[in-house]
Amino acid sequence: MVISEVSSAAKQCYEEGKVQNCGGELLKKIGRVSCPNKREENKMEFEEGLLAHPSTFFLSFTPHTLSPLLLFFPFFFLVAVILNSPHLSCEVVRACFSSQFLTSDPSLYLRSLSFPIPMAESNQLNLNESKMVVPLNMWVLISNFKLAYNLLRRPDGTFNRDLAEFLDRKVPANASPVDGVFSFDVVVERETSLLSRIYRPDEGENHARTLVDIEKPVTSEVIPVIIFFHGGSFAHSSADSAIYDTLCRRLVGICNAVVVSVNYRRAPENRYPCAYDDGWTALQWVSSRSWLQSRKDKKVHIYLAGDSSGGNIVHHVARKAVESGVEVMGNILLNPLFGGEERTESEKRLDGKYFVRIQDRDWYWRAFLPEGENKDHEACNPFGPKGRSLEGIPFPKSLIVVAGLDLVQDWQLAYAKGLEKAGQNVKLLYLEQATIGFYLLPNNEHFSTVMDEIKSFVSSDRS
Amino acid sequence: MDELLAVVGYKVRSSDMAEVAQKLEQLEEAMGNARDGISQLSNDTVHFNPADISNWLETMINNLDVPPPPHPPLPQQHSETESSTITTSVDRAFEDSSSSDYDLKAIAGKAIYTTAAATADSLSPSSKRVKPSPAESSSSTRPLVLVDSQENGIRLVHTLMACAEAVHQNNLSLAEALVKQIGFLAVSQVGAMRKVATYFAEALARRIYGLYPENPIHHSFSDMLQIHFYETCPYLKFAHFTANQAILEAFQGKNRVHVIDFSMNQGMQWPALMQALALRPGGPPAFRLTGIGPPAADNSDHLQEVGWKLAQLAETIHVEFEYRGFVANSLADLDASMLELRPSETEAVAVNSVFELHKLLARPGAVEKVLSVVRQIRPEIVTVVEQEANHNGPGFLDRFTESLHYYSTMFDSLEGSVNSQDKVMSEVYLGKQICNVVACEGVDRVERHETLGQWRTRFGSAGFTPVHLGSNAFKQASMLLALFAGGDGYRVEENNGCLMLGWHTRPLIATSAWQLATKSVVAH
């Protein structure tokens, strides 16, 4: 009978480790996590889900060539699958019905699934794997960046800066509040053209600020000032890139904080230590602004935050701050960029699978690190052979967010471990199904998880 | 439009999302297969309007001559008739000019025009109007760039604002008292803030005492001011350069070309274009220039003098040149019949306006009249450069505040330049604009700057569609800045097919290019 053939074919695929069909990812999970006592619950969820979106759920389990036929037998097939797969995991079921997979337009989901995959093209396979774990518009966003970035990196190590600036979507600052946040830019250091964008909560005043009131002192007893370093692997993006302007605005709203986004100099035109120097300059500037002082103790409550290369900058600027006696209350590292000469397991396993390839990572390190240096340089590998110990140093507490589908996670986890071993305060948030860039759009559960964590992280000293 | 992507700068319709995803995959595969795919796309291809991901990908796919995907296309839910992207592929076979003159060089390589007006959401079958995107029609954004905070400047700005508010409320005795205070405070300031404050204070004083308009100044003085402004900072150079780039591209393949310049002044824009035309492979076209300007106070025919100089240049570079100067009090006095237009099969026309169109907004109906005359001219292209600011709002206080911020940034940008004589003259040049914005009203107030978004709406309503400026123009403008900027912090930015020059993150002027709406659908 056709149905049972299909289901056993599916089982066979799994056993052979073949993940050819669109539902491959899901099949792989069968048998990984078993919740036998939840089988009845699963079954009910299945049926409920099926009735809601029969065709979509159904297609996730079928080789595409058979789908037209099986469209006629959704319910029966489902039952057959359940009966044949006693170890169907709760996660799989939940994943199928989560917002990640179901869009309001089932046909959209259909199309995204039924994209043909020739066996020989592992590239195609990879593209489809990444499509399974992020919403479609996020997939488009990140893939678009990936494609643009491929055009910008030249094999000889130079960078097509003009095309990069042409392609980058930027937004100006806006002293008129939008959704409770207004912003303005300050040239913090004219000699180096160092600019920072400052975001402030509107606090209900609802009028455009002018030169007169743009730097009015903060009114809160305690307000965190988050110095943010945008990502881009040291080469891409700016403080006024739309993706980062949006992220910073969201941070202000969620944390009720002031955010200062630093437009640090980028590689390869400006190698190590320019980005760190700019970060340090900005930190000193923020630290000396009387209008940013919390009223409680007349001090600026500074947190450092950053994603990708920005996360790396956070570490190094924090170190400099501690060594210079400037207080930083906490570090927030989102998918921070660390590395080393060794090839780790996660790098090998995830190479090219979720938007990122190792060779790209290598290019960026070569562009940032001093010429002749390798990835065991302290900038890249702070707990590596050339790293300096952090033991006994009053390093700020750290919140480290690691995406489970980021190929540099082994380095990020090693960083967290290194901090821990040096006796530092570390909180690690490991998001199993997150890819790079998950925080750029709010339409996924990782975003809200992380924002909540950041909010409590910077609010711990509030009354 | 997908709202989340729109917020981060990309325009993708939700219903197109899967198709865009497919194109991304298609292009990725093609890039992997093509021998020099990446380098070709990076160095040779001219990119346009990256916010429109779908079209951007499409042009690259076409550029790589990718065969259609091997599997049959997926059933599409949305109407196929709407995806009316029509591409005209222009193979730019000419080599890069060996001239090291950076004034103008159309970068060789394949340029693909996706005539942007053909994007599905802006064209309806019946009307060819471009719908303004909602974000652009809002003029309530206030981009602010400060140069480190000078705490003592606050009092000065505060007094300026208070004075403006008093004027706005017609409390002239209070305004008078405050204006005197500004003068006193300004003395103790340094740098750009002092100069800006002084000019604004003077303008406020003129308004309070009713001393406007100023005595008309001799045109040679205002021309000289503009020349100094041209030398000191890159704004005019950028304006001329980007407009010329668009004109050069529009004149491709034409043997007789005619530029109608609404902003003739000293004719500083044209030597570079003429040189670029002279260097064209296959030889220069015959170049005709019609320069339009206001009458000189001393009745001298300065337009004709400028024409003579350009004729001499044309002779040295062997370009067939014809010139006509046209004196008009206002552009609205022009009719197409006056311009001696020739049939469009024989002569291609470009209309150029640098910092002139906003003056028409002082008289109701004037700009609409001029745009309809431009339509009658049937130009290949219309190039427009305008200040990127809204200094034409109905309320005095808003206008004052907007212009205070705008000119503060302008003056800040000048601080970096070295030559003090040029700098002073440039500041006087800008000071005259400040005076007009603040002190004048009615038909006298001609510095009625409006934003790119506002001009887009206006041109759209008048029957024009955008011609996009691409990555080649962007790159060359950036190079120009690096060579001639005379200071740090200047930046070129791409904005939905237009180019803007600003200081740091604040755009200050914007170049856009337009064509007649009926031209946008060209089947090949």
Side-chain angles (χ1 to χ4, degrees), chain B residues 55 58-59 62 84-89 112-115 522-524:
Chain B
N55 277 325
E58 191 73 43
T59 60
N62 292 337
S84 53
T85 306
I86 294 161
T87 58
T88 53
S89 170
I112 308 266
Y113 286 116
T114 49
T115 49
V522 179
H524 264 244

Side-chain angles (χ1 to χ4, degrees), chain A residues 169 174-176 185 187 240, chain B residues 140 142 146 149 491 494 505:
Chain A
R169 307 290 82 213
N174 192 356
S176 276
D185 292 337
V187 179
D240 61 337
Chain B
S140 64
R142 176 174 290 166
L146 309 181
S149 46
R491 259 196 11 184
E494 191 279 342
T505 53

Side-chain angles (χ1 to χ4, degrees), chain A residues 172-176 182-187 195-197 208-215, chain B residues 141-147 401-402 404-406 408-409 503 505-506:
Chain A
N174 192 356
S176 276
F182 68 90
S183 64
F184 62 102
D185 292 337
V186 181
V187 179
L195 181 135
S196 292
R197 176 162 294 181
R209 303 306 197 271
T210 66
L211 289 169
V212 174
D213 52 4
I214 199 83
E215 286 176 342
Chain B
T141 56
R142 176 174 290 166
L144 261 191
V145 179
L146 309 181
V147 181
T401 312
E402 287 300 319
L404 179 61
H405 290 116
Y406 180 85
S408 293
T409 305
W503 196 64
T505 53
R506 163 88 211 235

Side-chain angles (χ1 to χ4, degrees), chain B residues 394-427:
Chain B
F396 170 74
L397 191 54
D398 274 342
R399 283 206 309 274
F400 183 88
T401 312
E402 287 300 319
S403 55
L404 179 61
H405 290 116
Y406 180 85
Y407 287 103
S408 293
T409 305
M410 266 283 187
F411 274 69
D412 275 334
S413 76
L414 290 180
E415 283 299 292
S417 57
V418 181
N419 185 323
S420 54
Q421 168 74 353
D422 269 341
K423 190 157 78 170
V424 168
M425 290 292 131
S426 305
E427 288 159 5

